[in-house]
Amino acid sequence: MGEATIAQRLVEAVRSDFPDHQPGTRPVHTVGIGVSGTFMASEVAGQFCIAAPFRAAQMPVLVRFSNGSGSPVEHDGWSDVRGMATRFLPGDGAAMDMLAMTLPEFFTPNVDAFLQFTKAAMPQSVERESPWRKLIDMLRLELPLPDPEPGETMNGSAGMMAYANRHGFAGEAVFRAGMIGAPVSYARATYHAVHCFIVTGADGVRRPVRFSWQPVSGVRTTDPTAPAIDRYLHEELRARLAQGSAQFMLMMSVGEGGDALNDPTRPWPAKRTRVAMGMLSLAQVVADQLADCERVGFNPCRLLPGIAVSDDPILRARRDAYEYSQRERGATPCPFAGG
Ligand code: HEM
């Protein structure tokens, strides 16, 4: 047997954090729902990025919303990161993907650290920490352990917290993940593409940018003191779309000198120029969820001329990791862009 590739090691690492993972499914973001709609570029978008999605007036999109967990069991009401994978379809057999999640920063700055992090995040048995213990954690400037969900006996929180307490770079994302809660709707969360990408403007200037989707209906999480409900997000989305479209504004922050271009653990200052790049209007749940959503394979490095990956080592490693995962789970090869 040859040595495992980085892609294989990454996929096996994320899979190892979810012992009930089912072959043939995504190793993370396992439970999801596909919806279709359109993206309409803003008037200024094409000045900042000449990629096809930002020049055309309107184009079809496919979006898959997901819970972050790699467990096949749907626990919508549990505190968890959520995902939003978008495929822009500008026509002529082209496609561009944008993968985003509800955390603005990532846990680690490079692949080696991520492999260590996933080891630390292996599930262990959990108990609710006493208020005294939480207080002691805070006095020691350590992150207190989030309470387990009702019925949850194992999770990776303790390991993640211990990792973040040893490695300052993970603190921001681990702390936010611990407090993130559950959205009342997939259409009521902000999703961040996290990494820096390089866009080329109509003036030929290349700019470092970060993208996020802002929900037009506003952000809202469930009441953390109310009992968590296992399943509601898919039905809520179906009901919402039956009443009208769900919309998101694509915002793009432009990086400046000194900003962390290749480190997804570090936030950019909030005062960076933000450009409204366009409006996403989701119209309906995809009819054939298996063929047109579960078997689809998104990839954050599937881009179009005018937008390129930065030198962020996590982003670059994700290209082959997603392809490996999709081959393993028998996803349909992307019919667009030779993907
Ligand atoms: C080293 C870092 C990472 C690794 C190894 C990793 C790995 C994976 C894998 C293997 C999948 C399943 C792919 C498939 O089978 O289709 C996946 C899905 C996903 N990842 Fe990551 N990921 C990483 C970082 C991130 C980051 C930074 C984000 C946020 C921008 C993200 C967002 C997502 C989303 C939204 C999905 C679900 C995509 C879908 O619905 O098909 N991941 N990830």
Side-chain angles (χ1 to χ4, degrees), residues 216-305:
V216 171
S217 326
V219 171
R220 189 153 181 221
T221 47
T222 56
D223 175 358
T225 60
I229 303 171
D230 265 359
R231 289 164 180 252
Y232 62 91
L233 287 171
H234 295 198
E235 278 322 302
E236 195 281 341
L237 196 57
R238 284 177 199 279
R240 178 179 288 271
L241 297 182
Q243 301 293 315
S245 67
Q247 296 183 309
F248 288 85
M249 176 70 85
L250 181 62
M251 299 301 298
M252 186 179 83
S253 297
V254 182
E256 292 182 16
D259 290 348
L261 303 188
N262 302 323
D263 182 347
T265 66
R266 287 171 53 201
W268 286 359
K271 62 183 184 193
R272 290 292 168 260
T273 300
R274 295 176 82 223
V275 184
M277 295 297 280
M279 183 71 88
L280 177 70
S281 298
L282 297 174
Q284 61 213 359
V285 171
V286 167
D288 188 342
Q289 287 290 317
L290 187 61
D292 297 332
C293 177
E294 291 315 300
R295 293 259 161 81
V296 170
F298 295 90
N299 194 311
C301 300
R302 181 174 291 121
L303 300 171
L304 287 170

Side-chain angles (χ1 to χ4, degrees), residues 10-11 14 26-29 64 66 83-85 99-101 106 114 192-195 296-298 314 318 321-322 325-326 329:
L10 283 169
V11 173
V14 287
R26 288 165 174 82
V28 275
H29 294 270
R64 180 175 182 271
S66 54
M84 176 179 175
L99 274 70
M101 65 167 170
F106 195 54
F114 183 72
H192 309 267
V194 176
H195 306 282
V296 170
F298 295 90
I314 293 278
R318 286 174 71 197
Y322 284 57
S325 169
Q326 288 153 16
R329 68 179 174 85

Side-chain angles (χ1 to χ4, degrees), residues 99-118:
L99 274 70
M101 65 167 170
T102 48
L103 281 182
E105 284 87 33
F106 195 54
F107 304 103
T108 62
N110 57 53
V111 167
D112 282 345
F114 183 72
L115 293 170
Q116 295 299 318
F117 175 76
T118 48

